[in-house]
Amino acid sequence: MIPHYGTPASDRLNAATRYPGAIAALKSLRIELHTHRIYPEISYDEGQPRLVISTELTVWADREGMFFCWGTVHLEEPADHAPVDDLVKVARCIAERLGEHYAEPVNPS
């Protein structure tokens, strides 16, 4: 069954078919952010998928999933960026931007 246009299911389906590389990259980053006590969800409601960390920080990846960008406004400059290969570094930079409490990763016990 094809979801109705404009519904959350339609948004997810559209993103999955248009941005599979970006979704895979964001899922990997999301898992890495969990080590910093940051638990974002992937949002699909503006076309291109993104992680909404706070009202002042959002993270997105290019269509191919090669680079992360993060900034205050989705898809707008100025935004910091780094290659997806630097996953740990990107998570640390995002955590440091949120504050001292998030900067150091939690050691799994």
Side-chain angles (χ1 to χ4, degrees):
M1 176 178 217
I2 298 173
H4 293 285
Y5 178 78
T7 63
S10 171
D11 293 342
R12 284 191 303 276
L13 177 61
N14 184 41
T17 57
R18 295 182 65 202
Y19 302 98
I23 292 172
L26 291 172
K27 285 181 178 181
S28 297
L29 179 60
R30 187 171 153 232
I31 291 168
E32 187 62 34
L33 287 170
H34 288 180
T35 66
H36 291 277
R37 297 174 296 280
I38 303 169
Y39 305 99
E41 290 297 321
I42 298 177
S43 178
Y44 301 94
D45 60 350
E46 289 184 18
Q48 185 171 353
R50 68 197 188 289
L51 296 176
V52 179
I53 310 268
S54 70
T55 57
E56 298 176 4
L57 183 60
T58 188
V59 181
W60 62 95
D62 65 322
R63 183 182 293 253
E64 294 80 25
M66 302 297 288
F67 286 91
F68 288 117
C69 297
W70 58 97
T72 56
V73 181
H74 182 230
L75 297 175
E76 289 188 20
E77 296 293 335
D80 293 317
H81 60 281
V84 169
D85 294 343
D86 290 340
L87 188 64
V88 174
K89 179 182 172 188
V90 170
R92 187 176 343 109
C93 288
I94 292 168
E96 287 171 355
R97 187 167 174 171
L98 292 177
E100 192 173 309
H101 171 72
Y102 300 102
E104 290 302 317
V106 177
N107 290 329
S109 2

